[in-house]
Amino acid sequence: MATFPENFLWGGAIAANQAEGAWNEDGKGPSIADVVRGGIASGQHDATIDPLRYYASHEAIDFYHRYKEDVALFAEMGFQCFRTSIAWSRIFPRGDEQEPNEAGLAFYDALFDELLNYGIEPVITLSHYETPLALYEEYGGWKNRALIDFFTRYCETVFRRYQHKVKYWMTFNELNNMNRMPFATGAVEAGASAQDIYQANHHQFVANALANKLCHEIIPQAKIGCMLSLSTAYPATCNPDDIFATYQLRRRSLFYADVMMRGHYPAYAQRLFRENHIHLTMHPGDIELLAQYPSDYLGFSYYRSVLHKAGAQLRVDTGGAMGEDNPYLEKTAWGWPVDPVGLRLVCNELSDRYEKPLFIVENGYGGEDIADEHGEFNDEARIAYGRSHIQEMAEAVADGCDIMGYTWWGPIDIVSAGTGEMKKRYGFIYVDKDNEGNGTLARRKKRSFAWYQQVIASNGETL
Ligand code: BG6
């Protein structure tokens, strides 16, 4: 078994809108996540909040009020880092204000202090599918260039405020989901044209570069990365048409890392834009900004692999595209193929392509948990998933990949981004809440809790 570096960061990852709840407390404004029907990935949403409808993010797991209990459990597992997002609309409730909401800032001060007291490094995503709703309704989301200024004001505010508390930052969660999930990813309506999508992306690329610039100016010792969904794709056959179609599919994702990691639009983008009649409006200086302020590291999620065939339509989902059946792989109850070797492959692919550090900021097993006759959760399948993926991550380290850390997705059960369910659980900690919102919200350790504890204690040696 290969060993992990001494400074390797083990931990877990969540997002504000999937965990915090308290959707309208202490001055928080609604975000796009607060009006969705089901999961944010669907893009189906109400124009205004319907008091008779159940919205999963409104209470979520009430992390906003229970974070001390949860952080204590993370510390007991030995976490060295914890990834979450700042809910932008807690800080700027509409997104376009000049002054931030002090109560929102105070919440994250308290959360980061709590983490730091246990020696847990916060790893912070600035925008995880939770753009302030007013920026969608009144500005049309990221296709409007005005959002660059709103976002950078927000970034500057939180960089200044938390400069002594947060060393690891990420800009946008899974920007490469724009084509499949434009509402979640860019606050652009579902079914938007390719023109709108790539224009919105251009604004996000500029905002990403400006955030990198600000972060380095305000917190010189910090690292700021981009974050992408990089579950991989294989050709379904050795037909060269399928192989090239799969190469192109992968490029549609890597396009985002190519721009943000390398600092320029790749050559192949010209044909993509030409054939899709995309004409990007750029301001003087945009191209220089992209080149001057690339990302320090590439954060990514990896859940599974897909099989792709030329001409096949891909189903919309979180965690990557969904393709053909792979007869060599088992699937989770939600139909996600389990492919640990794919993780090694992706680490090597990204390492070869970018030659910069990688951070595996999401990997995990979403399944249903049913208590046994003693009331225990024996989540063997989750442990097996974690063990096999960490083994392959160790192989990737031995292959020469520079991996900063690993944060298990959803170390405590949270709301699913894909479906809005609680039933699809990732946690080492069970939360008593069902799909309709019933339950005490009590937390209980699953069997995987002790397993992950020993993984961290042994720096990945004991799996
Ligand atoms: C990632 C997202 O794509 O997948 C998370 O960044 C999401 O927000 C995770 O929760 C798992 O997807 P799901 O649909 O099972 O919640």
Side-chain angles (χ1 to χ4, degrees):
M1 164 58 64
T3 44
F4 290 95
E6 275 310 306
N7 57 354
F8 191 82
L9 291 166
W10 294 96
I14 62 169
N17 72 88
Q18 291 172 256
E20 286 176 5
W23 73 282
N24 62 356
E25 274 184 52
D26 296 333
K28 178 181 172 293
S31 82
I32 55 169
D34 295 325
V35 293
V36 291
R37 304 185 208 125
I40 181 103
S42 74
Q44 300 295 311
H45 61 94
D46 293 329
T48 53
I49 286 160
D50 174 352
L52 299 177
R53 194 186 279 278
Y54 171 66
Y55 296 96
S57 73
H58 287 198
E59 181 187 56
I61 62 158
D62 196 29
F63 183 74
Y64 190 76
H65 297 111
R66 294 166 194 251
Y67 70 88
K68 288 193 178 175
E69 182 189 347
D70 297 339
V71 170
L73 288 165
F74 301 153
E76 194 181 328
M77 269 188 281
F79 279 22
Q80 293 146 352
C81 72
F82 175 62
R83 172 183 178 226
T84 188
S85 58
I86 295 177
W88 182 355
S89 68
R90 274 196 202 289
I91 312 301
F92 288 96
R94 289 175 38 86
D96 60 358
E97 297 90 340
Q98 292 294 328
E99 296 303 323
N101 170 35
E102 174 54 35
L105 288 167
F107 168 69
Y108 293 104
D109 264 323
L111 173 61
F112 300 156
D113 288 344
E114 194 68 19
L115 291 165
L116 292 167
N117 282 340
Y118 287 106
I120 302 174
E121 291 288 348
V123 177
I124 299 304
T125 318
L126 289 153
S127 181
H128 192 129
Y129 301 161
E130 50 206 1
T131 305
L133 186 60
L135 297 186
Y136 169 71
E137 286 179 335
E138 294 174 35
Y139 294 86
W142 275 98
K143 61 182 192 272
N144 188 331
R145 194 172 171 107
L147 264 73
I148 297 177
D149 285 347
F150 302 144
F151 183 73
T152 46
R153 187 177 307 149
Y154 155 62
C155 289
E156 182 167 358
T157 304
V158 296
F159 292 153
R160 288 200 190 287
R161 179 75 171 220
Y162 307 122
Q163 58 180 297
H164 302 299
K165 300 185 181 179
V166 180
K167 286 192 225 145
Y168 300 98
W169 297 88
M170 264 169 282
T171 49
F172 300 98
N173 187 63
E174 298 186 337
L175 206 49
N176 58 333
N177 273 336
M178 264 303 267
N179 279 291
R180 294 180 298 110
M181 299 162 39
F183 182 69
T185 317
V188 171
E189 64 281 1
S193 65
Q195 169 67 36
D196 281 349
I197 285 175
Y198 282 99
Q199 186 63 56
N201 278 146
H202 179 69
H203 297 149
Q204 290 171 305
F205 290 149
V206 173
N208 177 75
L210 287 168
N212 295 345
K213 175 177 188 286
L214 281 167
C215 184
H216 289 313
E217 284 167 3
I218 298 168
I219 329 177
Q221 70 280 16
K223 298 254 176 277
I224 181 160
C226 56
M227 193 288 181
L228 299 171
S229 168
L230 290 171
S231 294
T232 194
Y234 305 136
T237 73
C238 52
N239 181 334
D241 289 341
D242 291 342
I243 293 174
F244 198 73
T246 308
Y247 189 77
Q248 292 287 56
L249 175 71
R250 190 65 176 157
R251 262 182 171 170
R252 290 290 289 271
S253 267
L254 293 177
F255 163 78
Y256 294 84
D258 286 350
V259 176
M260 293 185 285
M261 300 289 292
R262 293 166 164 172
H264 56 88
Y265 279 89
Y268 62 81
Q270 293 314 319
R271 182 166 186 176
L272 173 75
F273 293 163
R274 197 169 58 242
E275 292 183 351
N276 290 284
H277 312 290
I278 294 163
H279 302 281
L280 294 186
T281 304
M282 296 195 192
H283 281 197
D286 282 3
I287 292 295
E288 290 74 12
L289 274 176
L290 301 186
Q292 261 183 295
Y293 304 104
S295 305
D296 295 330
Y297 66 92
L298 174 52
F300 67 99
S301 61
Y302 175 89
Y303 290 94
R304 58 170 187 247
S305 55
V306 306
L307 275 198
H308 189 51
K309 260 179 160 358
Q313 289 299 310
L314 289 159
R315 194 149 66 72
V316 169
D317 208 336
T318 47
M322 296 291 284
E324 313 282 309
D325 255 18
N326 186 331
Y328 296 98
L329 302 176
E330 309 257 301
K331 292 196 198 68
T332 71
W334 270 260
W336 290 23
V338 175
D339 182 5
V341 176
L343 177 60
R344 178 179 179 186
L345 182 76
V346 167
C347 291
N348 277 278
E349 173 195 35
L350 301 175
S351 226
D352 290 351
R353 193 170 178 116
Y354 301 115
E355 298 184 318
K356 280 193 187 175
L358 307 175
F359 200 157
I360 301 171
V361 293
E362 287 188 33
N363 176 238
Y365 176 90
E368 190 174 2
D369 286 304
I370 298 168
D372 67 12
E373 66 274 22
H374 310 293
E376 305 291 327
F377 296 103
N378 288 310
D379 52 343
E380 284 299 336
R382 183 167 295 109
I383 294 172
Y385 181 100
R387 179 182 295 131
S388 59
H389 284 75
I390 293 170
Q391 263 160 2
E392 293 298 331
M393 175 169 67
E395 293 296 340
V397 170
D399 292 335
C401 301
D402 179 1
I403 305 177
M404 295 162 63
Y406 174 89
T407 56
W408 176 269
W409 179 253
I412 182 167
D413 295 342
I414 53 176
V415 175
S416 159
T419 65
E421 291 175 286
M422 277 302 298
K423 191 174 163 186
K424 188 181 185 191
R425 297 172 182 276
Y426 286 82
F428 305 131
I429 302 161
Y430 185 86
V431 176
D432 179 23
K433 184 167 179 179
D434 67 17
N435 279 355
E436 286 73 45
N438 307 306
T440 62
L441 290 168
R443 276 63 165 152
R444 282 165 58 194
K445 296 172 193 171
K446 302 179 199 173
R447 185 162 177 180
S448 53
F449 185 99
W451 168 77
Y452 198 51
Q453 191 176 42
Q454 78 173 11
V455 170
I456 299 177
S458 64
N459 196 18
E461 293 286 332
T462 309
L463 293 172

